Amino acid sequence: MQKIAVIGAGTMGNGIAHVFAQKGHKVNLIDISQDALDKGLQTITKNLDRMLAKEKITQDDKASTLQNIATFTSIKEGVTKVDVVIEAASEHLDIKLSIFKELDTLCSDDTILATNTSSISITQIAAATGRPDKVIGMHFMNPVPIMQLVEIIRGYNTSDKTTEQIMTLSTQLGKTPTEVNDYPGFVANRILMPMINEAIETLYNGVAGVAEIDTVMKLGMAHPMGPLQLADFIGLDVCLSILNVMYDGFKNPKYAPCPLLVNMVMAKKLGVKSGEGFYDYSESRKAEKVSDQFLR
């Protein structure tokens, strides 16, 4: 399984392309936007330069990693004769179903179709194809080059062979694959998102401020990053989408998104990606008041 296609050159997609290319795989990085592809390659180069500065890789390692990546704005051209396709597009069901339906017609019968979805049903995605036994979840964590976990999600019809192949492939990347079953949010986000949502509720109810909530969780619970800062890094729109998937899937009010989160997303305060969320990233300083306007 040497040739990989990655669909989506955003934060997760370029990170996935990076780790495969660094391990010697030929990677086709695909996005409908040439600008997104250029930015993705810039991010990969910047991350490789950081590793080079820390003497974790050599100049030759950097050069060979970049040489292993080819870019495409056409899915049809990018998925030709690949062993695995990993979809890392937007976390919207309709988009994913459309992509997988197209992939099923373009890819060879032996190609495994994986999705980096963090919450959407693998079984539902697989139903858009004629090869549900070869569809699987491959949920990388952000930032992909650093985080060790890959959550491997089996759909209802995912075969043992496909699961074993993806578990082995993940191990070869130097990651730790962990197999879970197909329920909304899987394991990682089923536990993480309610915690983040509760932190937002705590802010919304005026129990404490942004910095105070994050400090309690960092120093009291030994979390490397507070839940509000983590939400900013994930993207508040992504957090909202995941919570909605779980709420729709379980019909349990404990997964209902906090009104503060809903309002911030509507106001385009999405976290790091927009320069402003619970913190102000445009000035590289904490800004509890960024969210104050939504508490009134």
Side-chain angles (χ1 to χ4, degrees):
M1 304 181 73
Q2 285 301 305
K3 194 161 187 180
I4 311 295
V6 179
I7 298 177
T11 300
M12 297 305 296
N14 70 62
I16 294 168
H18 174 160
V19 296
F20 274 102
Q22 192 175 332
K23 288 295 183 178
H25 295 272
K26 296 297 182 182
V27 180
N28 292 349
L29 182 58
I30 306 163
D31 200 293
I32 58 174
S33 166
Q34 184 60 50
D35 183 55
L37 289 169
D38 293 341
K39 288 180 179 177
L41 286 176
Q42 289 172 8
T43 298
I44 293 170
T45 302
K46 187 184 298 183
N47 289 334
L48 288 169
D49 285 338
R50 288 197 187 101
M51 298 174 75
L52 189 60
K54 294 179 180 179
E55 299 184 344
K56 292 185 176 181
I57 62 171
T58 65
Q59 189 65 48
D60 287 344
D61 292 330
K62 174 187 172 182
S64 63
T65 297
L66 292 173
Q67 288 170 4
N68 282 336
I69 302 173
T71 61
F72 298 84
T73 55
S74 165
I75 290 182
K76 183 177 181 179
E77 293 178 9
V79 300
T80 301
K81 297 180 180 179
V82 298
D83 301 306
V84 180
V85 179
I86 303 172
E87 172 271 320
S90 300
E91 192 72 353
H92 295 287
L93 177 60
D94 290 345
I95 292 174
K96 293 186 186 298
L97 292 179
S98 176
I99 289 173
F100 274 78
K101 186 175 181 179
E102 184 176 7
L103 289 175
D104 192 43
T105 64
L106 296 175
C107 296
S108 69
D109 292 341
D110 294 331
T111 301
I112 292 174
L113 306 181
T115 173
N116 184 58
T117 181
S118 55
S119 60
I120 296 173
S121 167
I122 307 304
T123 303
Q124 190 172 6
I125 292 172
T129 76
R131 62 180 86 191
D133 60 313
K134 295 187 182 302
V135 177
I136 193 166
M138 201 175 185
H139 180 207
F140 289 84
M141 305 292 129
N142 184 34
V144 181
I146 296 173
M147 299 295 282
Q148 190 175 12
L149 176 68
V150 183
E151 196 175 26
I152 306 298
I153 308 102
R154 293 185 65 142
Y156 188 82
N157 292 305
T158 305
S159 69
D160 290 341
K161 180 179 179 181
T162 296
T163 304
E164 290 166 5
Q165 288 176 305
I166 293 301
M167 293 284 283
T168 298
L169 182 63
S170 301
T171 301
Q172 290 170 350
L173 291 177
K175 304 296 186 183
T176 301
T178 302
E179 182 183 335
V180 306
N181 290 319
D182 187 20
Y183 291 94
F186 315 132
V187 171
N189 282 317
R190 184 167 179 174
I191 295 170
L192 175 63
M193 285 302 152
M195 183 191 74
I196 287 176
N197 198 45
E198 192 62 31
I200 300 171
E201 287 277 3
T202 303
L203 175 66
Y204 183 59
N205 293 329
V207 179
V210 172
E212 289 76 14
I213 291 168
D214 278 355
T215 297
V216 167
M217 296 305 291
K218 286 190 290 184
L219 301 186
M221 313 306 165
H223 290 194
M225 184 182 295
L228 299 177
Q229 185 181 15
L230 178 56
D232 276 353
F233 274 80
I234 293 170
L236 302 192
D237 54 334
V238 176
C239 293
L240 178 59
S241 176
I242 294 169
L243 284 164
N244 281 331
V245 167
M246 292 196 295
Y247 182 65
D248 290 342
F250 292 116
K251 307 300 182 190
N252 189 322
K254 74 177 180 179
Y255 299 115
C258 175
L260 173 57
L261 175 61
V262 175
N263 283 345
M264 291 182 72
V265 171
M266 286 195 295
K268 307 299 183 185
K269 310 297 185 183
L270 307 181
V272 175
K273 69 175 76 175
S274 68
E276 194 175 286
F278 292 106
Y279 294 90
D280 185 347
Y281 300 94
S282 63
E283 300 177 13
S284 300
R285 62 178 178 80
K286 294 181 180 179
E288 290 85 349
K289 291 184 179 179
V290 166
S291 56
D292 281 355
Q293 59 187 298
F294 303 100
L295 296 174
R296 299 192 188 101

